[in-house]
Amino acid sequence: MKRAVDRLSAMAPGVNLVFEILDARAPLASSSPDLTRILENAAVLRVLTRADLVPSADLRGWLERFSADGKPALGFSSKRALERKRFLDRLERHALSPLRREKRVVRALVVGVPNVGKSTFINFLVKRRSAPVGAAPGVTRGFQLIAVSKGFYVYDTPGVLQPGSDSPDRRRILGLIGSLREPEFDVEDAAGFLFRFLKENAPGALKKYVSDDAAAPESFHEFCNALAARRGFLARGGIRDLHRACRVFVEDFSRGRTAGVSLQAPPEKARRRNERRDSQPANGEKSR
């Protein structure tokens, strides 16, 4: 990581555009203060990947929030092939045209935390597989210069995380979106975090893990038992393998099998959610 940061610092003066790749499910957790500090003198376009996995209202909220900061943002999903022209038109308008008017060659860095979709974004731009893609963090090992079109070049870069300063919730979220591997995060702790989040905000997403006619379990332990029983996960001695159940639950989310969920709501929605939570009576109290 340190070598990657040092290399980015050395390259920064020679680039005039930065694509900061963020996961639309957690735009703040997937941002990196190190990267934004190093590249503060270049034009920045934020690209929110996996945009098809979050509610459209949440995506709009984040795009508006980032644009209000003076750094435009675009939603991106490689699975929406019909939106390719629309996306590229927006990319041209927001990022490429200003540089081309100055008759400058566009040299762009594609940066972000591990496994956030950098290589997928590059392959989408060039319409061929130029950058390695994988489901686990750490697939891109070095810096790779790729020609997109005449006068437009991008550098694929390894994922960079700010070491040693993550809050517990950020580490859980980074584990859930696939930016950390075990044992860099506690998979059972992350699974518990995800269960509580879905139970409060998207309880329907839990139904597929338990029997079809059963209500979603009230506790995380009950949920893990139900998931292990349904999938036939057994450990030595015939007991249910709850750790494997947690891992599958987390992997399903990180690989995009749990759609329609934002782990981090845009500011206005988060404010309303907190107001509703604060207005609810405490346990044991009756509303009047």
Side-chain angles (χ1 to χ4, degrees):
M1 287 295 179
K2 184 180 185 304
R3 285 195 299 270
V5 170
D6 290 344
R7 181 75 186 276
L8 284 171
S9 299
M11 294 173 67
V15 301
N16 45 27
L17 177 62
V18 174
F19 294 110
E20 184 183 10
I21 311 300
L22 307 174
D23 191 309
R25 298 171 296 179
L28 295 183
S30 58
S31 66
S32 174
D34 277 345
L35 298 178
T36 53
R37 184 180 67 254
I38 292 168
L39 303 166
E40 60 184 357
N41 293 324
V44 175
L45 179 70
R46 292 181 172 119
V47 178
L48 275 64
T49 59
R50 299 166 182 139
D52 56 309
L53 297 180
V54 301
S56 56
D58 284 12
L59 179 63
R60 286 195 304 272
W62 280 116
L63 297 181
E64 291 169 0
R65 189 265 194 187
F66 287 135
S67 295
D69 288 347
K71 294 181 179 178
L74 298 176
F76 167 72
S77 170
S78 61
K79 296 180 180 179
R80 294 177 176 174
L82 295 177
E83 294 186 5
R84 177 181 175 81
K85 185 178 184 305
R86 182 182 179 193
F87 178 86
L88 293 178
D89 286 345
R90 290 178 175 178
L91 176 61
E92 182 73 32
R93 183 170 66 254
H94 287 294
L96 302 181
S97 290
L99 296 173
R100 285 176 170 157
R101 281 196 296 269
E102 299 173 11
K103 297 182 178 180
R104 298 170 67 186
V105 172
V106 179
R107 295 184 180 89
L109 279 174
V110 179
V111 299
V113 301
N115 202 39
V116 79
K118 298 182 296 297
S119 297
T120 298
F121 173 68
I122 290 173
N123 291 338
F124 175 86
L125 288 180
V126 301
K127 294 192 290 187
R128 64 182 186 275
R129 186 161 182 163
S130 297
V133 178
V139 173
T140 301
R141 298 293 184 180
F143 290 75
Q144 184 178 184
L145 178 63
I146 299 167
V148 178
S149 60
K150 184 177 180 180
F152 178 21
Y153 302 89
V154 297
Y155 291 92
D156 190 15
T157 65
V160 176
L161 277 172
Q162 187 179 20
S165 61
D166 297 328
S167 69
D169 275 358
R170 184 175 186 240
R171 292 197 71 81
R172 293 180 185 115
I173 292 172
L174 288 172
L176 288 170
I177 65 175
S179 294
L180 295 176
R181 310 185 198 188
E182 290 186 79
E184 295 173 314
F185 76 107
D186 185 328
V187 71
E188 294 183 10
D189 178 59
F193 174 88
L194 180 60
F195 170 79
R196 292 185 292 273
F197 182 89
L198 294 179
K199 190 171 184 297
E200 180 177 352
N201 300 288
L206 297 171
K207 288 287 291 180
K208 66 179 179 180
Y209 294 101
V210 296
S211 60
D212 294 329
D213 57 350
E218 286 298 314
S219 74
F220 177 55
H221 183 73
E222 291 173 343
F223 171 78
C224 290
N225 267 286
L227 172 53
R230 179 159 190 169
R231 301 288 180 90
F233 295 157
L234 298 178
R236 185 174 298 177
I239 63 173
R240 292 174 183 169
D241 191 340
L242 303 188
H243 183 79
R244 186 179 176 190
C246 289
R247 182 182 292 117
V248 166
F249 185 43
V250 168
E251 287 179 352
D252 274 4
F253 188 87
S254 67
R255 295 182 180 182
R257 296 172 187 149
T258 306
V261 176
S262 300
L263 290 177
Q264 292 183 314
E268 183 60 26
K269 182 176 179 179
R271 183 185 63 78
R272 292 195 301 268
R273 180 186 292 171
N274 291 336
E275 287 176 350
R276 287 196 302 270
R277 186 182 296 120
D278 292 342
S279 67
Q280 292 175 352
N283 291 339
E285 294 182 1
K286 295 182 178 179
S287 57
R288 299 183 181 182

